[in-house]
Amino acid sequence: MESDLAIASSSSSSSTMESGLAIASSSSSSSTMESGLAIASPASSPSPSSSPFASLLFPLTMGSDLAIASSSSSPPLLFLSTMDSDKGVLLPWIHKHLMVPWNSLEKGRCCGRSEAITDGYHCEECDFFVHKKCSESPAYIQHPSHSDHTLWLQSRPNGYCDLCGRRTVISYNCETCEFDVDLYCAKYPPPEVMEVSETHRHTLTLLKKRTKFDCGANCGKIGNYDEFPYECDECELFFHIDCVWHPPEAKHTLEFTTMDTGERVSLPWIHKHLMLPWNDTRKGDCCGRNEAITHGYFCKRCDFFVHKKCGDDSPKSIQHPSHSLHPLWLQITSNAYCDLCGKAIVDLSYSCKICGFNIDLFCVEYPPPEVIGNSEMHPHKLTLLKKRIDFDCDAKCGKSGEKEFLYKCDECEIAFHVDCLWHPPEVKHPLEVNHSYHSLHPLKLHMGLLPDYSDGRCRLCGRKIDDRLFYHCSSCNFTLDMRCVLHPPPQSLLDLKAHDHRLTLLPRLDSFTCNACGLKGDRSRYVCFQCGFTIHQDCLGLPRVININRHGHRVSRTSLLGVVNSVCGVCREKVDWIYGGYSCQRCPDYVVHSKCATRKDVWNGKELEGVPEEMEDVEPYEVIDENTIQHFSHKEHYLRLHVNGVSYEENKRCRACCHPIGLQYFYGCIDCEFVLHQYCAELRRRKWHVLHNEQLTLAWSETDCFWCDACHRVSNGFMYKHGNVTLDVRCSSISEPYVHPSHPHHPLYYIPPNNHQICSGCNKRESYVLRCIEDGCEFVLGFECATLPQVIKHRVHDHPLSLCYGEEGASGKYWCDICEKESDPKTWFYTCKDRRASLHTKCVLGDFSGLMPRNIAISWEAMLNNSVTRPFCRECKSRCIHPIIVKDLGTLDAYICSKECMIKVLESIGL
């Protein structure tokens, strides 16, 4: 073989090929080929040519210099080769796109589990991560759970594992019996019966039936028809498999070692992301307390901080005197309370798997005493009342007790917070400190309320004093929080990203305007005495180059915007051009306030300085000729452009938005009924949207339904998705400035409201709205009304209906011909050409207008409600009046008419 890859077995075989790959099995064989691939498999296994993987191997571009020898007794590795390029690695058996080597603590899409060793591969386009360990799985196995046939590795996104009941993404499958085993259970199959368990004292049996149950391990998660449970017949309790079955090989050590990645540290049992070594005096998200020693770890992405002491020194199990009957195990705990102090557990606790007893990390080391006989706060004996109630603390700390334990004096009938009375000696702070920024007088430790004359904020950092402990000088009205006492800002610094010259801190109250952001400040600024530059402390760390969700290009920080009469691209307020901000190098007039550009809902927190800009968006289709394309969603056939605009096409529906083609131009498949609006066919594969701070990817699944996060409609068309955020194509098409026919004179913008707003179209409260920013105009439009079709056809009228935006001066009663109920003329409705109809928008469209008729999702089928006799809804018992309804495939005549009825049905069956 002149080039490429050869894999030979242990017995006699030969292969000759100028280009390509030859693999010979254990028996004598030979193959000759000029280019391509020949595979001979074991006699006991299905031939690869009949396997669905075979087609995935042929497109591989050969050129690897790897040689592998395998014997007939061991199956070949799944990845015969990985194709490296300057863009990534191709793992064709796992994923269709190029992937890059990646470290992540998230669950792998391969096995659905988290791994302590986080090496793997990631596809940015699909946000798809697989463990390196799983990517090296063999192509076929003989498994004891299904010993009659060979199991082959396949992509099975809609399958279920026959050992644990969970949904699979990739699994080992028997092509004869349709038996599936996911990658985790292939290695660690859960036992049918467990005689001994740390979680429960009786025998547990694996119930191979997906059902709804409350887990007896008090893990805080409900079993919701998504896996098999373990069942105790004596106690009638159910448990998640993961709560009782921990294979020794799969256990993560709780006494973990940190994995350094540059400056970042991996603490898998504390947090899912890589963290930075960090010093901070704020409360730790580990124990919920402040520590005098502030070394720890911090995740910038989640604003998550843990003390080094909690992260490194917590053993995996302890015997604690407060619960001596059973060992306590360290675990991530949610929706639970500490049984010693009554506080909500932030993240980690020691828990008894048998009793459900929990202790937070602070109380493990410093348990509050049951009785305090001698206290500086009160002369009488105080008893810990282990009951979570509301009370007023008599320590005058300024904070009311809300559902927590308290110390109570039976003689005086007064109550105190646990923290106001109980101070372990190890965490006591000095009563006085001499601070470098206040050398005139010592600062005294205060607890509770600030003096009335104080402004309630730290003199150095400006943060509100919200801790019970702080230092204060009453002579000078000078207050510092604990963070600035222990770690004050430097007196001078040279930060070339912020300014070219050395900056000096002026620790005093002083009104100024920050040159970096253009906003006012009142204290402790950094100044440059050489040129007069002034900057807030928190503006020193402003990033240099970022992406924001309001603009398609990167924006860069500049010290002088220089664009006169401009408005901010986020808040739409005027920008003062003599101060700093962010601007687009491609769009000279686009500028953004520094504070607006770095808001959490606008920026994803990633600094892009020095990071090469990504390639331009991949086109959604390939042009075949002037009127013909091949779309990424329908690669098997070509789509041809049809010029419409005369007759309303109601029988064809766009596969992207699921609405009728209507009067619009569209692409239709030459060989089948697949249809896309021209606009929908041209949707970009990736885009930014005002509702999410990460770039969204266009995706589609023929079988899955989703709820749009903007308009709350259900759909099975195309979606833009990133993580847990999903938008349908109509809502994702809204960009700023947005001009709607109902408000043509002023554009609309997404300005996040402080609370829900009343939509001008439907008069309902909406969480996501577009607003007019003109003075005195209170027009507000929800995403559902903003994306209503302007023209629609309905069976009650011969002609298309048009959307009417209400009639303010209407007199008399308006009636809807569909539901035969009164309609409100002040809200939007559909009407015909002669204005003799006023049909509710919901009656015309229904709740399932985003579903493609005749498409099946799980056990439901969407169908047109166009029969002569309308069926009855199984839930509300009324006739279904909407144009699209859903039918339960498990019954002959079970129909659902609306979203409300669907939710009730799902709740009744436990979903």
Side-chain angles (χ1 to χ4, degrees):
M1 181 168 72
E2 293 184 7
S3 65
D4 295 319
L5 171 66
I7 302 178
S9 69
S10 57
S11 57
S12 167
S13 64
S14 64
S15 66
T16 305
M17 54 194 298
E18 293 183 4
S19 168
L21 167 66
I23 304 174
S25 71
S26 56
S27 59
S28 175
S29 63
S30 65
S31 65
T32 304
M33 54 196 298
E34 292 183 0
S35 67
L37 168 67
I39 304 178
S41 63
S44 61
S45 304
S47 66
S49 60
S50 63
S51 169
F53 317 126
S55 61
L56 295 178
L57 290 175
F58 283 94
L60 292 181
T61 303
M62 299 304 167
S64 171
D65 56 0
L66 173 67
I68 303 173
S70 65
S71 65
S72 59
S73 61
S74 63
L77 290 179
L78 170 62
F79 297 117
L80 301 177
S81 69
T82 59
M83 285 179 15
D84 296 320
S85 76
D86 57 349
K87 298 179 183 177
V89 176
L90 179 62
L91 308 177
W93 291 69
I94 289 288
H95 196 60
K96 60 185 177 181
H97 301 135
L98 287 170
M99 307 179 77
V100 294
W102 201 260
N103 279 348
S104 178
L105 295 170
E106 63 184 297
K107 290 183 178 180
R109 298 285 293 276
C110 39
C111 61
R113 303 305 204 279
S114 300
E115 289 285 337
I117 301 171
T118 59
D119 296 332
Y121 301 99
H122 180 252
C123 172
E124 276 198 5
E125 185 170 351
C126 305
D127 193 23
F128 186 93
F129 173 72
V130 296
H131 300 126
K132 186 174 187 294
K133 178 180 176 182
C134 293
S135 73
E136 296 168 349
S137 302
Y140 60 87
I141 60 172
Q142 292 289 148
H143 201 269
S145 64
H146 195 73
S147 55
D148 293 338
H149 305 124
T150 300
L151 303 181
W152 287 83
L153 195 63
Q154 294 193 19
S155 174
R156 302 276 290 177
N158 296 312
Y160 291 91
C161 174
D162 286 287
L163 297 189
C164 68
R166 293 190 179 96
R167 185 178 284 274
T168 63
V169 176
I170 301 164
S171 69
Y172 283 101
N173 170 261
C174 174
E175 295 180 340
T176 305
C177 309
E178 287 300 309
F179 182 88
D180 284 284
V181 181
D182 66 29
L183 299 192
Y184 188 85
C185 289
K187 188 171 184 181
Y188 308 119
E192 301 277 343
V193 177
M194 292 188 63
E195 300 287 350
V196 180
S197 167
E198 297 173 352
T199 306
H200 195 64
R201 61 185 182 273
H202 299 143
T203 300
L204 299 174
T205 306
L206 185 62
L207 179 65
K208 292 200 171 181
K209 178 182 178 182
R210 287 188 297 278
T211 184
K212 185 173 183 179
F213 62 93
D214 293 321
C215 182
N218 296 317
C219 64
K221 295 181 179 179
I222 297 175
N224 199 13
Y225 298 94
D226 50 5
E227 65 172 292
F228 299 159
Y230 274 103
E231 180 183 18
C232 175
D233 294 328
E234 297 184 42
C235 306
E236 296 184 356
L237 290 176
F238 295 90
F239 301 87
H240 293 108
I241 292 176
D242 286 349
C243 289
V244 295
W245 168 236
H246 307 290
E249 300 87 341
K251 276 190 177 179
H252 298 281
T253 173
L254 292 172
E255 297 168 332
F256 47 80
T257 58
T258 60
M259 180 191 73
D260 293 323
T261 308
E263 292 184 350
R264 296 178 297 172
V265 174
S266 170
L267 305 175
W269 277 89
I270 296 289
H271 193 60
K272 60 185 177 180
H273 300 138
L274 292 169
M275 306 176 76
L276 293 168
W278 200 261
N279 282 348
D280 206 321
T281 57
R282 74 190 211 185
K283 291 181 180 180
D285 292 303
C286 41
C287 62
R289 303 301 206 282
N290 295 98
E291 288 285 334
I293 301 172
T294 59
H295 301 308
Y297 305 103
F298 179 64
C299 173
K300 283 190 174 182
R301 183 172 174 183
C302 303
D303 192 28
F304 183 90
F305 173 71
V306 296
H307 302 125
K308 189 174 190 299
K309 180 179 178 182
C310 296
D312 292 347
D313 299 339
S314 301
K316 71 174 183 179
S317 65
I318 60 172
Q319 290 289 152
H320 201 268
S322 64
H323 192 75
S324 56
L325 294 176
H326 309 123
L328 303 179
W329 295 83
L330 184 65
Q331 65 180 31
I332 296 174
T333 309
S334 59
N335 302 320
Y337 296 89
C338 174
D339 286 290
L340 296 189
C341 68
K343 292 181 182 294
I345 292 171
V346 180
D347 236 307
L348 287 171
S349 74
Y350 281 95
S351 176
C352 176
K353 296 181 178 179
I354 297 174
C355 308
F357 184 87
N358 295 293
I359 309 178
D360 66 31
L361 300 193
F362 187 84
C363 289
V364 165
E365 190 165 357
Y366 308 116
E370 300 279 343
V371 177
I372 296 179
N374 185 16
S375 169
E376 299 173 356
M377 191 68 64
H378 192 67
H380 301 146
K381 182 177 72 174
L382 298 168
T383 305
L384 183 63
L385 179 63
K386 291 191 174 182
K387 185 178 180 183
R388 298 181 60 250
I389 61 175
D390 296 333
F391 64 95
D392 292 323
C393 179
D394 288 282
K396 308 300 180 184
C397 63
K399 295 185 179 181
S400 60
E402 297 180 356
K403 302 296 182 184
E404 59 181 286
F405 294 173
L406 62 130
Y407 276 105
K408 183 179 180 183
C409 175
D410 294 327
E411 297 183 42
C412 306
E413 294 186 357
I414 61 176
F416 301 90
H417 290 111
V418 172
D419 288 348
C420 288
L421 285 177
W422 172 235
H423 306 291
E426 293 85 347
V427 295
K428 280 192 174 180
H429 299 282
L431 297 179
E432 286 188 357
V433 296
N434 292 309
H435 202 274
S436 59
Y437 283 112
H438 192 70
S439 57
L440 293 176
H441 311 113
L443 300 176
K444 294 185 178 181
L445 180 65
H446 284 246
M447 181 179 66
L449 288 175
L450 283 157
D452 294 337
Y453 54 80
S454 171
D455 65 359
R457 295 191 294 150
C458 174
R459 178 64 59 86
L460 292 182
C461 66
R463 286 185 289 262
K464 184 180 178 182
I465 304 288
D466 57 358
D467 292 324
R468 291 182 180 142
L469 298 175
F470 59 92
Y471 283 89
H472 179 73
C473 174
S474 56
S475 301
C476 307
N477 189 18
F478 187 94
T479 307
L480 294 183
D481 62 13
M482 295 300 297
R483 188 182 308 188
C484 288
V485 168
L486 298 173
H487 296 281
Q491 291 183 347
S492 67
L493 57 86
L494 180 62
D495 186 349
L496 296 179
K497 287 189 175 182
H499 189 61
D500 294 336
H501 307 140
R502 179 168 290 277
L503 300 172
T504 303
L505 181 66
L506 298 181
R508 62 173 181 247
L509 294 177
D510 184 16
S511 180
F512 66 95
T513 301
C514 175
N515 288 102
C517 67
L519 297 179
K520 297 286 186 181
D522 66 352
R523 70 191 64 211
S524 300
R525 52 177 166 153
Y526 276 99
V527 298
C528 173
F529 293 119
Q530 185 173 344
C531 64
F533 179 84
T534 299
I535 187 171
H536 289 116
Q537 291 183 49
D538 56 359
C539 287
L540 290 170
L542 287 173
R544 299 292 293 271
V545 181
I546 61 175
N547 271 324
I548 62 173
N549 61 5
R550 300 302 206 278
H551 195 62
H553 309 138
R554 291 182 176 185
V555 292
S556 304
R557 180 181 169 187
T558 178
S559 59
L560 182 68
L561 288 171
V563 182
V564 183
N565 297 325
S566 58
V567 296
C568 173
V570 174
C571 71
R572 317 311 303 182
E573 298 289 339
K574 185 178 179 181
V575 173
D576 196 333
W577 65 273
I578 65 173
Y579 295 108
Y582 287 85
S583 63
C584 176
Q585 295 182 354
R586 300 189 192 180
C587 310
D589 294 332
Y590 189 84
V591 295
V592 184
H593 288 126
S594 296
K595 295 298 184 182
C596 293
T598 52
R599 277 176 14 199
K600 286 186 177 180
D601 63 314
V602 175
W603 174 46
N604 60 12
K606 297 176 182 177
E607 164 69 82
L608 301 177
E609 185 179 32
V611 179
E613 192 159 6
E614 296 179 1
M615 295 179 60
E616 289 297 323
D617 185 46
V618 178
E619 292 293 332
Y621 56 79
E622 178 185 349
V623 176
I624 305 303
D625 60 36
E626 185 178 353
N627 294 315
T628 309
I629 62 171
Q630 185 179 34
H631 200 266
F632 84 94
S633 64
H634 196 68
K635 292 183 178 179
E636 54 268 35
H637 303 137
Y638 292 160
L639 306 181
R640 183 165 294 162
L641 180 64
H642 294 259
V643 177
N644 201 6
V646 178
S647 60
Y648 189 92
E649 185 64 73
E650 61 177 315
N651 295 322
K652 290 185 173 67
R653 287 180 175 265
C654 173
R655 196 63 188 84
C657 66
C658 301
H659 280 258
I661 292 299
L663 300 172
Q664 301 179 48
Y665 291 7
F666 66 94
Y667 282 98
C669 181
I670 298 174
D671 299 309
C672 66
E673 297 181 356
F674 189 90
V675 177
L676 293 173
H677 286 118
Q678 183 182 18
Y679 171 82
C680 294
E682 295 170 353
L683 290 170
R684 297 169 56 191
R685 296 293 299 273
R686 301 188 73 186
K687 70 184 301 183
W688 295 94
H689 195 272
V690 295
L691 296 185
H692 191 50
N693 62 5
E694 291 280 2
Q695 202 167 21
L696 303 171
T697 302
L698 186 62
W700 177 54
S701 171
E702 291 191 68
T703 57
D704 290 342
C705 292
F706 65 91
W707 294 95
C708 175
D709 291 320
C711 65
H712 310 298
R713 288 183 292 236
V714 64
S715 175
N716 58 356
F718 289 9
M719 71 182 91
Y720 277 98
K721 184 175 178 62
H722 177 272
N724 296 324
V725 175
T726 306
L727 301 177
D728 63 28
V729 296
R730 287 182 170 263
C731 290
S732 65
S733 67
I734 291 179
S735 59
E736 297 178 331
Y738 183 71
V739 179
H740 194 271
S742 64
H743 197 71
H745 302 300
H746 303 146
L748 306 177
Y749 298 92
Y750 174 68
I751 311 293
N754 296 325
N755 47 37
H756 290 191
Q757 301 285 301
I758 302 295
C759 173
S760 301
C762 60
N763 205 30
K764 297 178 183 177
R765 289 191 175 273
E766 298 288 346
S767 53
Y768 299 115
V769 296
L770 300 160
R771 292 194 285 177
C772 179
I773 61 173
E774 295 294 324
D775 292 338
C777 183
E778 299 181 354
F779 187 83
V780 174
L781 194 58
F783 274 72
E784 183 176 4
C785 288
T787 54
L788 289 174
Q790 298 296 311
V791 179
I792 194 74
K793 188 76 171 64
H794 195 275
R795 59 185 292 182
V796 298
H797 278 272
D798 296 332
H799 304 291
L801 303 170
S802 300
L803 184 61
C804 179
Y805 309 120
E807 297 180 355
E808 288 294 333
S811 60
K813 290 188 176 182
Y814 283 59
W815 291 89
C816 175
D817 294 337
I818 300 175
C819 66
E820 298 179 349
K821 294 180 181 179
E822 189 175 356
S823 59
D824 183 0
K826 295 181 181 179
T827 62
W828 292 6
F829 57 87
Y830 280 102
T831 186
C832 57
K833 187 167 58 175
D834 56 10
R835 296 275 178 170
R836 293 183 179 179
S838 56
L839 309 176
H840 295 121
T841 56
K842 182 173 179 178
C843 292
V844 173
L845 296 170
D847 288 335
F848 303 127
S849 62
L851 296 178
M852 281 291 289
R854 300 183 299 278
N855 265 51
I856 297 174
I858 311 177
S859 61
W860 304 90
E861 179 184 9
M863 57 185 299
L864 290 172
N865 185 18
N866 56 4
S867 60
V868 176
T869 304
R870 295 176 176 176
F872 285 95
C873 173
R874 62 174 284 185
E875 180 61 32
C876 67
K877 311 304 180 186
S878 301
R879 288 199 179 272
C880 301
I881 61 174
H882 300 148
I884 297 179
I885 56 178
V886 296
K887 179 183 179 183
D888 186 350
L889 295 178
T891 59
L892 292 176
D893 56 355
Y895 299 94
I896 306 294
C897 70
S898 65
K899 181 170 66 176
E900 290 80 6
C901 291
M902 170 70 80
I903 292 173
K904 290 178 181 178
V905 170
L906 294 177
E907 288 176 346
S908 68
I909 61 177
L911 291 177

